[in-house]
């Protein structure tokens, strides 16, 4: 009897997996329409909405096809920018506005290149920062991680979209999100860091948000600053310098050290240096934790969102830290 139940459970698991895979066929996602009710698990409708939000620069963070805090906040920001009630619920009116931003398929195909699979890669990256300092570079661990970040998607979902594909061979055709955001705005008036909602907003001269990103902002150990600052410089592919006076939890050494550059560096692929000493806006090696965890005081974003923001700012761009959430998701 027990063996029979185990067999049935396994069969049901396989059936569910097959059904899930079927629901994630490109046509099912590209042709997805709004349906009432909160979907369970990975949803073609939510996946389509996340890609559309990402393209419109109301970033949901890591695209995973699921309901999350970052997704809800991205929806609310999009609603506020479009004059809709900004409760973060994906309503039909919100869906229609979102669908109107891009008429093409949200899932497309991509053929891997020799550069994608050649590396260099850093197969093993230690968790302790002191140990990271011994590495020559902190590159992606493998082609799958590299490709997932390129298309702003979780590695798990990339695998679900491509269940039979290998990620280590050039010439492989993959199904991926079309996250082409187009050229960033030529200039922005200021950047707003909302500590309460854990969001970073790029604002135009009227104070309207033209891009909104999820972020991990400060911690009890090292809280983010308050008040006004400005951008000093932008450093792409930065090294990371640890000062013992930071006294980060888990770092035992009393000596300074430097961690080599690379997308898995503690500050990711870009550093936006601020006029407040030792503070900046930067990328991360762990995009799945953005908006759900705290940082070592700085403003941490996904690598792709940090790079997008970096393309909009210049030395002298104002950065305002907000301690209270703006009403209805709007910058004030």
């Amino acid at each position: 009897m027990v063996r029979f139940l185990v067999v049935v459970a396994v069969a049901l698991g396989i059936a569910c997996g097959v059904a899930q895979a079927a629901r994630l066929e490109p046509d099912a996602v590209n042709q997805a329409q709004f349906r009432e009710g909160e979907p369970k698990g990975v949803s073609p409708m939510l996946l389509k909405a996340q890609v559309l939000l990402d393209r419109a620069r109301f970033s949901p963070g890591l695209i995973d096809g699921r309901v999350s805090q970052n997704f809800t906040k991205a929806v609310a920001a999009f609603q506020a920018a479009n004059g809709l009630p900004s409760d973060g619920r994906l309503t039909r009116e919100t869906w229609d506005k979102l669908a109107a931003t891009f008429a093409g398929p949200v899932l497309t195909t991509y053929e891997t290149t020799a550069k994608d699979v050649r590396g260099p890669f850093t197969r093993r990256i230690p968790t302790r920062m002191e140990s990271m300092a011994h590495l020559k570079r902190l590159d992606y661990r493998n082609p799958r991680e590299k490709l997932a970040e390129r298309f702003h998607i979780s590695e798990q979902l990339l695998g679900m979209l491509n269940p039979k594909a290998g990620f280590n061979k050039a010439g492989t055709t993959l199904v991926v999100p079309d996250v082409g955001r187009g050229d960033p705005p030529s200039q922005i008036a200021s950047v707003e860091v909302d500590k309460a909602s854990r969001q970073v907003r790029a604002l135009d001269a009227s104070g309207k948000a033209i891009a909104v990103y999820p972020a991990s902002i400060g911690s009890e150990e090292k809280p983010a600053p308050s008040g006004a600052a400005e951008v000093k410089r932008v450093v792409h592919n930065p090294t990371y310098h640890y000062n013992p006076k930071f006294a980060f939890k888990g770092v035992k050494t009393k000596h300074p050290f430097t961690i080599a550059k690379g997308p898995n560096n503690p500050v990711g692929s870009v550093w936006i240096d601020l006029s407040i000493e030792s503070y900046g806006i930067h990328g991360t090696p762990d995009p799945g934790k953005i908006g759900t965890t705290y940082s070592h005081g700085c403003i941490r974003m996904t690598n792709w969102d940090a790079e997008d923001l970096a393309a909009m700012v210049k030395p002298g761009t104002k950065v305002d830290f907000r301690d209270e959430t703006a009403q209805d998701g709007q910058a004030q």
Side-chain angles (χ1 to χ4, degrees):
M1 182 65 176
V2 172
R3 183 178 178 182
F4 172 76
L5 291 175
V6 170
V7 171
V8 171
V10 171
L12 287 173
I14 293 173
C16 289
V18 170
Q20 181 72 75
R23 291 199 300 270
L24 288 179
E25 287 294 323
D27 286 348
V29 177
N30 289 332
Q31 298 171 18
Q33 298 297 319
F34 176 77
R35 295 181 63 181
E36 292 285 355
E38 187 172 290
K40 295 181 179 180
V42 178
S43 158
M45 182 184 74
L46 290 181
L47 175 52
K48 183 174 182 176
Q50 287 179 341
V51 177
L52 291 172
L53 285 165
D54 185 285
R55 291 181 57 89
R57 287 191 166 87
F58 292 88
S59 174
L62 192 67
I63 294 173
D64 61 4
R66 299 175 182 272
V67 175
S68 66
Q69 290 183 2
N70 286 340
F71 173 71
T72 299
K73 289 189 290 186
V75 170
F78 178 83
Q79 290 169 326
N82 286 274
L84 301 173
S86 53
D87 58 5
R89 293 178 60 251
L90 187 60
T91 61
R92 181 170 295 280
E93 189 176 14
T94 303
W95 174 270
D96 290 343
K97 283 274 189 181
L98 192 55
T101 63
F102 179 60
V106 296
L107 293 184
T108 187
T109 56
Y110 172 77
E111 186 174 303
T112 58
T113 66
K115 184 177 180 181
D116 290 328
V117 302
R118 184 174 58 239
F121 298 110
T122 305
R123 302 291 178 180
R124 295 183 180 180
I125 299 177
T127 56
R128 294 180 61 84
M129 294 178 70
E130 300 99 315
S131 300
M132 291 181 190
H134 298 297
L135 300 178
K136 293 182 178 180
R137 276 188 62 86
L138 281 91
D139 290 295
Y140 296 110
R141 293 175 177 84
N142 50 55
R144 181 170 175 154
E145 182 185 37
K146 182 178 183 179
L147 289 162
E149 181 153 304
R150 175 171 181 166
F151 295 104
H152 310 177
I153 189 174
S154 71
E155 291 185 56
Q156 179 186 24
L157 184 53
L158 181 62
M160 292 177 67
L161 290 172
N162 302 278
K164 298 180 180 180
F167 297 94
N168 299 317
K169 183 180 179 181
T172 300
T173 299
L174 300 176
V175 176
V176 297
D178 185 348
V179 289
R181 290 174 169 173
D183 294 333
S186 57
Q187 61 180 5
I188 58 174
S190 64
V191 174
E192 182 176 75
V193 179
D194 190 326
K195 293 190 284 185
S197 70
R198 299 188 191 180
Q199 288 181 310
V200 172
R201 306 182 184 98
L203 309 179
D204 66 13
S206 69
K208 181 180 178 180
I210 53 180
V212 181
Y213 313 100
S216 293
I217 305 172
S219 63
E220 291 184 5
E221 177 187 5
K222 189 178 182 185
S226 298
E230 64 180 41
V231 173
K232 289 177 61 179
R233 59 178 180 153
V234 173
V235 181
H236 293 278
N237 211 17
T239 54
Y240 175 81
H241 305 284
Y242 178 76
N243 190 326
K245 73 178 183 180
F246 296 160
F248 289 161
K249 184 177 181 180
V251 180
K252 298 180 179 180
T253 183
K254 303 299 181 182
H255 303 285
F257 57 83
T258 297
I259 297 177
K261 61 185 65 176
N264 274 313
N265 174 293
V267 292
S269 61
V270 67
W271 170 267
I272 302 173
D273 197 27
L274 301 181
S275 55
I276 303 172
E277 184 180 3
S278 79
Y279 283 95
I281 302 172
H282 62 84
T284 182
D286 199 346
K289 292 183 178 180
I290 292 301
T292 62
T293 59
Y294 293 96
S295 72
H296 286 305
C298 291
I299 302 89
R300 183 186 301 155
M301 302 162 61
T302 66
N303 279 337
W304 56 87
D305 286 340
E307 290 168 1
D308 197 48
L309 180 65
M312 302 182 202
V313 302
K314 60 183 179 180
T317 298
K318 301 299 181 183
V319 179
D320 296 313
F321 288 85
R322 289 184 57 86
D323 293 306
E324 297 180 2
T325 304
Q327 294 296 315
D328 295 327
Q330 298 183 6
Q332 296 182 345

